[in-house]
Amino acid sequence: VHKIRRRSLNILMEVYDSGTLDWHIYKEKSESLNTELVDLKNEYIRFINTNNLSAKTVYLHDYVFMKTVEYLNVRNHEDLINVKREGIEEMMRTFNDCFSQRSMETIIPIIRRILKFFYDSGCTANNYAGMILSPIHFMEFNPAVLSKSEELKIIENLSGLNLRDQAIMMLAIRYGL
């Protein structure tokens, strides 16, 4: 429903601006990026294109990349280097507020890939992809990110389990298994 309303609004705005409607795939006007970030985005798109994905899938990756940068409040390469865990948590809260659960099932793996790309490219000090949980059974009450305090609370409650189960839970907490 949200996408239909957004598309309808975009059509109305186009008719208002130009007086006519040219049927085409609507691409939102992206916020202008710093040259370094444009180069990084283009590098990511080239990386994605090596997987022989369809044009719509590449556009989705581009869209999620732009939203990730926007929600992280990154304006230049230095801001990206200084991204902290709290920034990732806030970004995921914003994604959860702006997108439906079904959309998040598609977006979360892309976010993980983007965060891994940032780390592999040397743009972030840590690989934050591991803190984004996989959306296997994504429900409203199931958060996409565990905060540090939530992780510590879970770890405190593991003391009653045997060592094997504790190790499995620690891996699940850390890597989103």
Side-chain angles (χ1 to χ4, degrees):
V1 173
H2 175 70
K3 288 181 183 179
I4 294 170
R5 288 181 183 158
R6 186 176 64 199
R7 175 72 175 146
S8 300
L9 180 63
N10 291 329
I11 289 171
L12 289 173
M13 292 302 295
E14 183 175 335
V15 170
Y16 176 78
D17 289 339
S18 66
T20 61
L21 175 65
D22 179 30
W23 287 102
H24 61 280
I25 295 176
Y26 178 78
K27 294 185 178 181
E28 290 186 16
K29 296 175 185 173
S30 60
E31 185 179 315
S32 60
L33 290 178
N34 180 315
T35 308
E36 297 170 334
L37 293 179
V38 169
D39 292 342
L40 185 63
K41 183 183 86 154
N42 291 337
E43 185 180 333
Y44 176 73
I45 297 302
R46 278 193 300 276
F47 167 71
I48 291 301
N49 279 327
T50 62
N51 295 331
N52 200 21
L53 300 174
S54 72
K56 287 183 180 179
T57 304
V58 172
Y59 174 70
L60 177 63
H61 279 262
D62 181 43
Y63 176 79
V64 174
F65 186 96
M66 294 298 291
K67 289 297 180 184
T68 300
V69 169
E70 178 185 338
Y71 296 160
L72 282 173
N73 296 320
V74 171
R75 300 288 175 245
N76 54 42
H77 195 276
E78 187 175 317
D79 290 346
L80 192 55
I81 291 171
N82 294 327
V83 167
K84 301 289 183 224
R85 180 184 185 101
E86 294 78 20
I88 301 295
E89 290 172 5
E90 185 60 35
M91 175 197 69
M92 286 309 298
R93 278 190 213 94
T94 307
F95 268 110
N96 284 330
D97 291 344
C98 294
F99 295 94
S100 68
Q101 290 178 1
R102 183 175 292 265
S103 294
M104 288 302 290
E105 290 175 1
T106 305
I107 291 172
I108 285 179
I110 296 172
I111 294 170
R112 290 181 81 175
R113 182 177 270 184
I114 290 169
L115 293 175
K116 176 123 176 53
F117 174 79
F118 286 162
Y119 177 71
D120 291 343
S121 300
C123 297
T124 57
N126 298 312
N127 184 1
Y128 293 112
M131 70 182 278
I132 310 298
L133 298 179
S134 299
I136 295 172
H137 299 289
F138 198 80
M139 301 296 217
E140 267 186 60
F141 61 88
N142 187 12
V145 176
L146 290 176
S147 68
K148 189 70 170 173
S149 61
E150 291 169 332
E151 275 188 29
L152 294 173
K153 191 177 192 181
I154 291 170
I155 291 169
E156 287 173 7
N157 293 329
L158 292 178
S159 60
L161 298 175
N162 61 40
L163 291 178
R164 178 183 148 283
D165 291 343
Q166 284 182 17
I168 291 170
M169 290 300 294
M170 293 295 287
L171 286 170
I173 291 169
R174 175 57 53 211
Y175 296 107
L177 303 173

